[in-house]
Amino acid sequence: MAKTIPNLTSTIFTSFFFSLLIATKSQEFSRNLSQKKLGLKKEKLSHLHFYFHDTLSGKNPTAVRVAKAPITKISPTLFGVVVVMDDPLTLKPEPSSKQVGRAQGIYASASQTEFGLLMAMNFAFTEGKYNGSSLSILGRNTVFSTVRELPVVGGSGLFRFARGYAHAKTHSLNFTSADAVVEYNVYVFHY
Ligand SMILES: *[C@@H]1O[C@H](CO)[C@@H](O)[C@H](O)[C@H]1NC(C)=O
Ligand SMILES: *[C@@H]1O[C@H](CO)[C@@H](O)[C@H](O)[C@H]1NC(C)=O
Ligand SMILES: *[C@@H]1O[C@H](CO)[C@@H](O)[C@H](O)[C@H]1NC(C)=O
């Protein structure tokens, strides 16, 4: 009788040890996964068109300057200035037209020889099936060029695995206030 007790104990211990091994195996650092398992069907190409409203002036600005360098005010390109924005995106150029999302992020003057911004922002969409999905943009914006191209570096929701580019074209610019309306055409591959 006395002999069976340690046997039972070792059986329990062994099975516990094995289950631990199996558990460890299912938590591997990396594994191969089929696209289907992740719900990814066919890759598609979408074109999005909207207007971006960057308002620095007035009582309710959507873009605010948060930092500058000592030389910013004497720099012809405002080198060193950093702005945070939460700008509405609309279907038409008029600010009152239907809102489809917001452009949230930062831009900074990163060129000493021309007006060249570094832009790091998310387009957070609220329209239709795109509500809750976002695109991430990281690019160079030479604001006085007719059309600027900014890479789409990723996305979320319907835009998972997104890649593509955005063309930005100034629709209107107030040289006094720097308020601007910019037309965006975004071409993006996603699933
Ligand atoms: C994943 O797939 C690659 C390429 O087919 C293969 O070389 C690799 O061994 C696979 N890895 C695992 C964990 O199955
Ligand atoms: C977008 O989704 C949010 C959260 O689910 C919801 O509150 C909002 O009404 C939706 N907006 C539109 C325009 O469908
Ligand atoms: C440009 O901005 C200035 C300063 O905010 C404002 O007084 C002026 O009315 C604006 N011009 C136009 C055409 O909106």
Side-chain angles (χ1 to χ4, degrees):
M1 256 326 252
K3 256 191 170 176
T4 60
I5 293 165
N7 273 352
L8 188 68
T9 316
S10 77
T11 309
I12 291 168
F13 184 77
T14 308
S15 50
F16 172 72
F17 188 71
F18 270 106
S19 65
L20 209 72
L21 261 181
I22 291 162
T24 314
K25 197 152 198 278
S26 70
Q27 289 173 5
E28 290 163 317
F29 172 58
S30 92
R31 64 188 170 120
N32 287 337
L33 187 64
S34 75
Q35 286 190 204
K36 265 204 187 109
K37 264 196 176 156
L38 212 54
L40 304 177
K41 289 168 202 138
K42 207 173 177 305
E43 195 173 38
K44 48 182 172 281
L45 180 62
S46 296
H47 172 210
L48 307 171
H49 178 247
F50 50 80
Y51 292 84
F52 163 106
H53 301 259
D54 196 50
T55 307
L56 293 130
S57 69
K59 279 202 200 92
N60 298 304
T62 59
V64 290
R65 194 186 72 193
V66 295
K68 63 182 170 85
I71 66 152
T72 297
K73 65 174 180 293
I74 56 160
S75 161
T77 63
L78 301 175
F79 182 60
V81 71
V82 179
V83 174
V84 174
M85 69 185 139
D86 178 8
D87 287 344
L89 305 174
T90 63
L91 271 185
K92 297 210 173 93
E94 299 74 38
S96 59
S97 97
K98 187 181 168 61
Q99 190 173 307
V100 295
R102 315 280 301 184
Q104 298 171 337
I106 62 174
Y107 58 82
S109 174
S111 169
Q112 290 181 282
T113 53
E114 62 182 324
F115 270 106
L117 304 178
L118 161 73
M119 303 201 63
M121 63 180 168
N122 294 311
F123 289 145
F125 297 105
T126 50
E127 173 60 13
K129 66 174 179 176
Y130 296 109
N131 190 10
S133 295
S134 69
L135 284 176
S136 298
I137 309 286
L138 179 67
R140 181 164 183 263
N141 186 355
T142 48
V143 293
F144 293 120
S145 305
T146 312
V147 179
R148 293 84 72 184
E149 183 170 315
L150 294 93
V152 172
V153 295
S156 74
L158 284 182
F159 292 121
R160 283 177 183 168
F161 292 104
R163 63 208 160 85
Y165 62 94
H167 274 168
K169 190 173 180 222
T170 303
H171 179 267
S172 63
L173 171 65
N174 182 323
F175 281 94
T176 314
S177 63
D179 292 353
V181 178
V182 182
E183 182 180 10
Y184 270 86
N185 277 288
V186 183
Y187 300 88
V188 61
F189 274 118
H190 61 104
Y191 287 91

